[in-house]
Amino acid sequence: MVEINVIKGKTHEDFRGKVSHFNEFDLESVKRIYSIAHHDVSVVGAWQGHQRERKWFFVTSGSFKFVFIQPDNWLNPSVKLPYHEFILSEKENKIICLPGGYVSGFNAVEPNSKMIVFPIFL
């Protein structure tokens, strides 16, 4: 089983302002980027998944709750599978790296939350 990783970014702040970065984060294999905005905390985006696609999630505004499940069978998955739950906030400067073989669901914890998703097709 491939693990879900959380990458912690770094921040530099001085009199000019604040820079948050992920200098060690390699985007070479990213083929597209998309942005998701949830204006209402009751909206849930679930379940999307791919057997081979990896996804990286970065929250740019507000915060999101993510739930990830690894299906035991893609055509007829068990109903009671273990899940991984994360909450990411713009204040944390973190990226969740979801390997292929998982399905994901998410919803905004705060109104008007936004994220960037970097899918990688293997």
Side-chain angles (χ1 to χ4, degrees):
M1 171 169 43
V2 180
E3 291 199 26
I4 298 166
N5 290 325
V6 178
I7 298 172
K8 176 77 174 120
K10 295 185 174 106
T11 304
H12 174 77
E13 190 169 1
D14 62 20
F15 70 94
R16 298 169 290 181
K18 182 177 176 180
V19 175
S20 299
H21 60 87
F22 296 90
N23 287 347
E24 295 81 26
F25 186 53
D26 184 4
L27 293 170
E28 184 176 338
S29 54
V30 172
K31 299 295 182 215
R32 65 180 67 137
I33 297 171
Y34 53 94
S35 171
I36 297 173
H38 278 196
H39 305 296
D40 183 341
V41 296
S42 68
V43 174
V44 177
W47 293 99
Q48 304 87 26
H50 298 277
Q51 293 182 35
R52 296 174 33 99
E53 179 189 72
R54 289 186 294 172
K55 288 183 181 176
W56 297 326
F57 300 92
F58 176 62
V59 175
T60 58
S61 179
S63 58
F64 281 87
K65 175 180 158 184
F66 296 87
V67 177
F68 304 128
I69 297 175
Q70 189 173 32
D72 56 351
N73 180 316
W74 282 85
L75 298 177
N76 187 23
S78 299
V79 178
K80 297 272 186 182
L81 291 170
Y83 61 90
H84 305 275
E85 187 174 299
F86 297 90
I87 294 182
L88 271 190
S89 166
E90 68 177 296
K91 299 173 185 125
E92 294 177 309
N93 197 33
K94 292 180 181 178
I95 293 175
I96 292 180
C97 299
L98 183 67
Y102 282 83
V103 294
S104 62
F106 51 82
N107 71 292
V109 176
E110 303 172 49
N112 300 313
S113 293
K114 297 177 185 175
M115 75 169 105
I116 299 175
V117 182
F118 307 89
I120 297 177
F121 301 96
L122 305 172

